[in-house]
């Protein structure tokens, strides 16, 4: 049997092929084996890996790629001086017949007193939130799909790694952290790229927020981290006032995109990696 002809309608442009973008690219090619996946990065560091995974890497400094049917903009806001302009550039590279997806952050939400936070919850009025909103809002108006993600983590990245390197923090030990594993976030981005509605906002989290103290204690107990070259010390939190945080709830997103996280709780994940 002859292979079916390649359809350019399945092609994907990744703007930001870091820890999240690379995972999305691999999942996309598993779903669309004949697709072209262009992966744009700021450096050539991961280009060999991207090629091995079947993607076509290119630098941000290269000539702009052609407009693509589906575009994922997954660039950390802190890495860009003009984040809104970079998001607008992503929109200009979207052909319009697929979906334009922008990964965003739950820091845009106003809730900070321990209450429930959902996709349409009120937004914050802080400088950080406005930086995110200035990138999101024009793209939403143009029909983009926004995926707001809680704290991303895996073995090597995430808030637990930050606190392992921190002896003392002025934050509250009972402050809440909502989380999502990189693998689950990548699957959510693929679902949003295939099923998301134009102008919709989705929320990615495991729905099981934990306190900073719980997170640090769990990681310090883990043999995986105790056997590191520098044994981790429990970060001491000294804060007694200030915001508690938010309890992110992705129930609506789960139903809308037929998505469920594989890693349902950070504490369960810690137990799982101890057994490997």
């Amino acid at each position: 049997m002859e292979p079916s002809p390649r359809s350019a309608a399945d092609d994907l442009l990744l703007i930001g092929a870091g820890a999240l973008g690379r995972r999305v690219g691999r999942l996309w090619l598993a779903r669309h084996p004949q697709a072209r996946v262009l992966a744009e990065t700021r450096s050539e560091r991961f280009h060999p890996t991207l090629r091995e995974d079947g993607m076509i890497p290119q630098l941000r400094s290269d000539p702009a790629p052609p407009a693509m049917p589906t575009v994922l903009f997954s660039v950390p806001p802190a890495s860009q001086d003009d984040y809104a302009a970079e998001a607008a550039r992503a929109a200009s590279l979207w052909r319009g017949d697929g979906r334009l997806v922008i990964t965003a952050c739950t820091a845009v939400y106003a809730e900070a007193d321990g209450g429930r936070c959902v996709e349409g919850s009120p937004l914050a009025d802080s400088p950080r939130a406005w930086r995110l909103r200035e990138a999101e809002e024009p793209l939403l108006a143009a029909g983009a799909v926004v995926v707001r993600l809680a704290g991303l983590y895996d073995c090597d990245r995430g808030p637990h790694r930050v606190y392992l390197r921190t002896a003392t923090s002025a934050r509250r030990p009972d402050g809440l952290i909502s989380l999502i594993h990189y693998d689950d976030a990548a699957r959510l981005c693929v679902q949003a790229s295939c099923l998301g509605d134009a102008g919709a906002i989705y929320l990615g989290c495991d729905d099981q927020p934990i306190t900073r103290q719980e997170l640090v204690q769990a990681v310090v107990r883990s043999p995986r981290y105790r056997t590191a070259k520098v044994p981790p010390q429990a970060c001491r939190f000294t804060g007694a006032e200030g915001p508690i945080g938010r309890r992110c709830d992705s129930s609506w997103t789960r139903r809308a995109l037929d998505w469920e996280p594989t890693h349902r709780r950070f504490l369960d994940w810690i137990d799982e990696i101890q057994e490997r």
Side-chain angles (χ1 to χ4, degrees), residues 21-275:
R22 291 196 302 275
R23 285 171 162 89
V24 171
R26 289 193 290 265
L27 291 172
W28 190 267
L29 286 170
R31 182 176 291 200
H32 307 286
Q34 297 184 21
R36 285 176 76 233
V37 175
L38 299 184
E40 184 181 274
T41 64
R42 291 270 167 176
S43 77
E44 296 181 349
R45 179 182 176 190
F46 294 110
H47 282 196
T49 300
L50 292 168
R51 290 190 187 95
E52 288 173 7
D53 288 338
M55 291 173 257
I56 305 168
Q58 69 173 54
L59 291 170
R60 170 65 176 83
S61 56
D62 290 340
M68 300 281 275
T70 300
V71 175
L72 173 73
F73 178 73
S74 182
V75 174
S79 69
Q80 301 298 318
D81 292 333
D82 196 339
Y83 181 62
E86 288 298 306
R89 173 180 174 270
S92 74
L93 297 173
W94 178 40
R95 205 169 68 191
D97 47 334
R99 288 173 179 83
L100 168 62
V101 179
I102 174 173
T103 62
C105 175
T106 54
V108 74
Y109 290 113
E111 177 56 53
D113 297 323
R116 178 172 174 262
C117 181
V118 298
E119 292 79 3
S121 290
L123 303 182
D125 197 24
S126 66
R128 182 184 182 191
W130 271 109
R131 190 164 191 257
L132 297 168
R133 293 172 66 176
E134 286 171 353
E136 281 187 17
E137 289 173 1
L139 271 63
L140 282 168
V145 177
V146 170
V147 180
R148 292 175 178 158
L149 299 171
L152 290 157
Y153 73 91
D154 62 11
C155 287
D156 302 315
R157 307 167 190 82
H160 63 299
R161 298 295 294 180
V162 174
Y163 289 133
L164 286 179
R165 300 191 299 266
T166 305
T168 305
S169 170
R171 295 191 171 189
R172 305 174 56 138
D174 58 346
L176 294 169
I177 303 178
S178 290
L179 296 164
I180 183 170
H181 193 281
Y182 271 99
D183 289 345
D184 290 322
R187 290 193 303 104
L188 175 58
C189 287
V190 170
Q191 288 296 92
S193 299
C194 295
L195 303 176
D197 291 331
I201 295 168
Y202 300 99
L203 179 57
C205 61
D206 61 16
D207 289 7
Q208 299 290 334
I210 62 174
T211 68
R212 295 187 183 95
Q213 191 68 54
E214 289 172 330
L215 180 143
V216 167
Q217 289 176 342
V219 175
V220 169
R221 289 195 304 268
S222 170
R224 184 182 186 98
Y225 295 104
R226 283 205 308 271
T227 57
K229 291 182 179 179
V230 180
Q233 303 297 319
C235 177
R236 186 168 63 90
F237 296 100
T238 60
E241 299 179 353
I244 287 286
R246 59 188 68 88
R247 298 180 181 276
C248 290
D249 180 347
S250 65
S251 299
W252 180 83
T253 289
R254 295 180 189 219
R255 294 191 299 270
L257 294 181
D258 190 23
W259 168 85
E260 289 286 339
T262 301
H263 302 286
R264 295 181 179 274
R265 287 201 321 157
F266 178 86
L267 298 179
D268 292 341
W269 171 79
I270 281 287
D271 291 340
E272 290 168 7
I273 65 172
Q274 286 181 196
E275 296 171 358

